[in-house]
Amino acid sequence: MDSAEDIFDSSLNLEETHYQEGYKEGYNHGITTGKEEARQVGLKTGFETGEELGFYKGCVDVWSCAIQIEPTRFSTRVQKGIKQMQELIQKYPVMDPENESVQEIIEALRLKFRVIRAALGVKLEYDGCPKPKEIEF
Amino acid sequence: MDNKLAQELYSESLQLSNLHLGHSSTANGFNEADIQAEDGSLWGDSDDELDKASDLDREWQRRHDQFHTIGYRDGLIAGKEASAQQGFNIGFKQSVSIGYNWGLARGVTSTLACLPDELRERLIETQEKRDKFRELYESMNSLSTTDALKLFHDDILTKEAMEQREPAEASVGASQEQSSNSCSLGAYTAELQSLLLDSPEINVHFFHQEVSTPDVC
């Protein structure tokens, strides 16, 4: 009877072994394919994030130059807003997608940008430009 | 369910052990007639035994595959989860600076296009240059983010193909130049950069990878 029990044991162990073999194989495969899949997502997200941030930076840079030349053309409120955008862009941890402050900074940037754009009365956007969500009254 | 599984499992092991005993006694040189007689009571004739054996092999293989497959699936999910963040970060860091410079060029050209004429004239001296900025703005503005992403994707593919061909040249310095010059998106930023060089009144800072983090994968 003892020997029979051993056989049951080994049969159960065998199934565990098969499971483990499969797991290991799957895990290794998952590491490589998962990394590549995630890299593709990262490439897209990184580009879009960079584009939005760079866009604001481009606007701010040109505005700043224009202010240098003709300060009187821009109200102090707008000038202040542009300066704040500049600071926000500098604060943005571009190379650290895991940084939790990212969302907060980009939201603040979007808001400031919209305010300045409205104050200047210009139509500045590109199709990737995040649209304001529903306007709350 | 458990019960059923156990039954299946046990009866099979039992059959296997009998089969195994039968085989080993043959190998040990026991009298064949004895074995026939012995087996006869359990298995019937030897043809039957062969069928049973192949049935068992199949069953064994099936069971092996089944557990292997379950394990594989669990492992695959776990592996993907474990590497997702890392892969995302690698891709993100590869593309963020290129997207940034592209967006910067978009921002600069569109803001210039939106400025009042007199102000633009003070920033950009000659009409010829103003026209060039205008042209650049129009061609960039006709590209959507999706178009730009596609161009960027194509650039990456060519770059990766080149790196595979010449691994020695794919060092840090070489890839730096490629990312800003030889790619089609880079052509726009390069043109803007050269226009800006001639326009001292406009001060724009492009993103330079080497300044921020050297550990870009």
Side-chain angles (χ1 to χ4, degrees):
Chain A
M1 218 49 262
D2 272 3
S3 66
E5 264 169 18
D6 282 344
I7 287 156
F8 300 157
D9 266 5
S10 78
S11 138
L12 284 171
N13 283 337
L14 215 54
E15 287 175 352
E16 177 64 19
T17 312
H18 295 156
Y19 178 85
Q20 289 301 341
E21 271 173 23
Y23 188 91
K24 224 171 168 182
E25 213 175 283
Y27 189 84
N28 289 336
H29 193 198
I31 289 277
T32 39
T33 55
K35 200 163 154 185
E36 183 48 30
E37 280 167 19
R39 191 179 73 91
Q40 293 298 333
V41 179
L43 277 174
K44 184 170 182 282
T45 315
F47 188 89
E48 287 166 351
T49 307
E51 182 177 29
E52 188 181 359
L53 198 65
F55 180 76
Y56 297 147
K57 175 71 170 144
C59 298
V60 165
D61 277 355
V62 172
W63 283 329
S64 304
C65 299
I67 291 170
Q68 292 269 306
I69 289 181
E70 284 190 42
T72 47
R73 267 188 182 272
F74 298 84
S75 72
T76 31
R77 203 168 132 259
V78 166
Q79 291 195 29
K80 202 175 147 220
I82 291 169
K83 219 174 152 211
Q84 284 170 332
M85 275 189 80
Q86 181 84 283
E87 285 160 9
L88 283 168
I89 294 166
Q90 248 158 29
K91 235 173 56 182
Y92 194 98
V94 187
M95 277 299 170
D96 186 9
E98 285 184 70
N99 193 310
E100 281 167 18
S101 68
V102 162
Q103 198 57 31
E104 197 187 311
I105 299 177
I106 202 75
E107 293 289 344
L109 268 171
R110 283 174 190 159
L111 203 70
K112 288 254 174 294
F113 178 71
R114 265 176 236 139
V115 171
I116 295 167
R117 189 176 56 182
L120 293 177
V122 290
K123 199 181 167 294
L124 264 178
E125 60 187 331
Y126 61 102
D127 80 322
C129 227
K131 306 281 182 294
K133 293 174 196 114
E134 316 87 81
I135 298 154
E136 286 159 53
F137 291 99
Chain B
M1 180 68 201
D2 274 346
N3 240 341
K4 209 184 152 213
L5 186 74
Q7 229 173 26
E8 240 181 72
L9 217 66
Y10 286 7
S11 69
E12 198 179 88
S13 307
L14 209 63
Q15 283 172 7
L16 193 83
S17 70
N18 276 321
L19 201 71
H20 179 71
L21 285 175
H23 280 310
S24 68
S25 48
T26 320
N28 287 335
F30 275 93
N31 186 322
E32 270 216 281
D34 269 7
I35 294 150
Q36 285 279 339
E38 226 178 68
D39 282 340
S41 56
L42 268 172
W43 303 109
D45 64 32
S46 55
D47 273 0
D48 226 26
E49 188 185 332
L50 262 174
D51 281 353
K52 283 271 186 196
S54 63
D55 272 359
L56 271 177
D57 278 351
R58 265 202 301 278
E59 171 65 13
W60 202 238
Q61 190 59 42
R62 191 186 67 78
R63 195 165 288 265
H64 169 270
D65 290 350
Q66 186 189 341
F67 278 84
H68 193 271
T69 306
I70 296 169
Y72 182 88
R73 208 163 42 211
D74 289 356
L76 191 73
I77 292 166
K80 279 189 178 187
E81 268 172 19
S83 65
Q85 185 67 52
Q86 197 202 358
F88 180 88
N89 290 356
I90 291 173
F92 189 96
K93 287 175 188 175
Q94 267 184 310
S95 66
V96 72
S97 61
I98 299 165
Y100 184 95
N101 283 341
W102 167 254
L104 186 81
R106 250 198 217 288
V108 169
T109 51
S110 359
T111 310
L112 281 172
C114 285
L115 284 180
D117 290 343
E118 322 90 76
L119 198 50
R120 187 167 47 246
E121 278 161 28
R122 289 195 62 184
L123 279 172
I124 313 161
E125 290 154 11
T126 66
Q127 183 63 43
E128 188 199 348
K129 262 189 257 171
R130 286 196 290 274
D131 289 344
K132 279 188 179 165
F133 271 108
R134 178 92 213 167
E135 276 167 34
L136 188 61
Y137 162 69
E138 276 161 7
S139 58
M140 286 189 78
N141 205 40
S142 66
L143 286 171
S144 68
T145 295
T146 324
D147 295 335
L149 256 173
K150 208 190 158 301
L151 282 176
F152 169 62
H153 185 72
D154 295 345
D155 289 342
I156 284 195
L157 289 183
T158 13
K159 202 176 131 191
E160 277 171 3
M162 274 175 72
E163 274 173 14
Q164 270 172 0
R165 238 182 294 143
E166 298 167 68
E169 272 186 60
S171 57
V172 191
S175 64
Q176 198 74 50
E177 272 178 297
Q178 275 170 18
S179 66
S180 56
N181 291 333
S182 73
C183 70
S184 39
L185 270 190
Y188 290 98
T189 35
E191 192 184 336
L192 179 63
Q193 270 174 317
S194 77
L195 280 177
L196 289 173
L197 271 180
D198 289 342
S199 318
E201 299 290 353
I202 310 172
N203 197 7
V204 171
H205 301 283
F206 279 87
F207 190 96
H208 295 294
Q209 250 177 7
E210 65 269 17
V211 177
S212 59
T213 21
D215 69 320
V216 185
C217 309

